[in-house]
Amino acid sequence: MADQVRASHILLMYAGSARSTATRSKDEALQEINDLKTAVEGGADFGELARERSDCPSGQEGGDLGWFSPGMMVPEFDDAAFALGVGDSSEVVETAFGYHLIQRTG
């Protein structure tokens, strides 16, 4: 496992997820994140989608989370981010905060 990775993400929160002010249902969030995954797979710009759609403040920076070490993120996020190769995007990852798409950038 790498000592550090750099990644960007798109987060869609839903009513009841941790720290959420979202009004969408969990099912609506899952459908939306799956649509975003399809768009990324079709060549859409990940950073642009993050700016337009992410519920995380990092969306303003194209989803960039900077460099982080194992244990700095919640376990589900860590596992997915550290399993990716540079340039790869994850499957949909669910955490207490909602649904994420993760793209490893470094």
Side-chain angles (χ1 to χ4, degrees):
M1 180 183 282
D3 291 337
Q4 286 192 322
V5 297
R6 184 172 189 163
S8 295
H9 80 136
I10 299 169
L11 169 64
L12 293 187
M13 296 177 155
Y14 50 83
S17 62
R19 301 184 191 159
S20 176
T21 58
T23 57
R24 69 173 71 89
S25 71
K26 187 173 183 178
D27 287 342
E28 289 169 334
L30 181 59
Q31 180 60 54
E32 287 182 43
I33 202 79
N34 279 318
D35 291 347
L36 292 171
K37 181 179 184 316
T38 299
V40 168
E41 289 171 344
D45 182 88
F46 192 96
E48 201 53 45
L49 289 175
R51 279 186 277 283
E52 294 170 3
R53 304 287 298 278
S54 184
D55 292 330
C56 182
S58 69
Q60 296 173 2
E61 303 299 325
D64 184 29
L65 296 170
W67 290 92
F68 55 92
S69 302
M72 291 180 69
M73 303 292 178
V74 294
E76 304 91 343
F77 194 99
D78 254 8
D79 290 347
F82 281 89
L84 294 170
V86 175
D88 292 341
S89 296
S90 70
E91 296 297 318
V92 173
V93 176
E94 184 177 6
T95 71
F97 300 99
Y99 294 110
H100 307 256
L101 286 180
I102 305 165
Q103 186 174 70
R104 184 169 168 189
T105 57

